[in-house]
Amino acid sequence: MPSIAICWFRRDLRLHDHPALTAALEAADVVIPLFVFDETLLAGRFASANRTWFMREAVAELAAALEARGAPMRVALGRPADVVPAIAGAIGATDVFVTRDAAPYGRDRDRAVAARLEAAGVRFRPKRGLYVHEPDEVRTRDGRPFAVYGAFRRAWEALERRPVLPAPARIPGETGRRPDAVPAVPPPSADPALIPTPGEAAARERLERWVRGPVDSYADRRNRLDLAGTSRLGQDLRWGTLSPVEVAARAAGPGEGRRVFLGELAWREFYAHVLWHSPRARREPLQAAFADLAWRDAPEELDAWAEGRTGYPVVDAAMRQLRASGFVHNRARMIAASFLTKDLLLDWRLGEAEFMRHLTDGDVASNNGGWQWTASTGTDPQPWFRIFNPVLQGTRFDPDGAYVRRWVPELAGAPAARIHEPWTMTPEQQAAAGVRIGVDYPMPMTDHAAARERALAMFAAAKAGASPVASEPDDRDERG
């Protein structure tokens, strides 16, 4: 009898550099690809029409690529702890190969699936592949997890990367069987034309374009909101249509642009590392000193922020870009997050949920880490006084206002010298720009200087009862 293995795809929707698939091919005579539309995730806490649509399209492309190589994909809908053991039993599989998942839900899911499989005599075989280095592999000299990014990055860079694996030319799958249909899903809430094309083929084209030249200017352009200075590979890393090891290998080389870009890959893995070791951070502040911050309850202000009606153009541009495209520039993410948590003093978890509702590249660890970093409740806690000035941030990173003009068209006619503080325009300037501040575009919902003092007082009061925490500066520190 031929040996049969399942390769269960999740956040690894590719054929290139796929350790679990390679291991399955080495272990079995027949390899059966499987994808499960997980009902728990589809309707869960961070459900997102944009991510579901992108995932579905990537799965459909992967299914076609697998069929072309001889392995029709099985597709199921349900709870993995029920579905995977049932399919393994029905086809007589002896092994289920997966890419190891570091997220708290993924770890719980895999423990449940593994227990059910092992009870039936089927081996659960997790392999690396979601990160350059696994979150539990990067440790201090005495074996502890890192709490500071700078030290983590040095250790991360010192580890040897595994070699990039080729895509298999042929996969011995079930003969005479058509692949299962990939179920339809609702359309994305964002404009599909503004979402990068899903699937491995398009992702590889994006990577090729990026490493052919633009990455070299990444250090100089990455924070500019008005320039196409970022890779736009976030959704590809999120869904594994690209291997992070291959991205790191292709991007490595001399120059500041490449060094800084690799640092961003390290940030992604640092946040996964933090959540691996502190899964409570999903719902709690990582820093106990800020567990009882007196966040305000202001649902109307939350709605104004989410809908891009704060009266601060760069904040509003960020939130409108998020809703329209399922993406928001990282600098703009930090500006918008700082405004919610420091100017409005609204709980970071509200912003975390809003971002996850829309982001096509929304990742629990990265999104949680970014929000807690900006809210000063997470890693690198010492600069709790980091409060972004939305006017200065806009002036610095969108100097001519092109980003604001694109996403806040009411201000398209505003002069560059006033576009980041349009309330300072005279009536004559407003008439010339075709906008009435307070009518066509709102007045600022808060005074930033006063809001800053209020935030400093709240954090200082919370910090007064805590022990000092040593931290290192990092390249995201902004106080302007």
Side-chain angles (χ1 to χ4, degrees), residues 206-223:
R206 284 190 284 273
L207 175 61
E208 183 63 31
R209 286 194 300 270
W210 177 244
V211 300
R212 240 187 349 244
V215 66
D216 292 313
S217 58
Y218 180 69
D220 298 324
R221 295 165 60 94
R222 68 190 182 109
N223 280 311

Side-chain angles (χ1 to χ4, degrees), residues 131 243 264 306 346 395 402 453 457:
Y131 301 102
S243 154
E264 291 302 304
L346 297 181
T395 301
E453 294 304 314

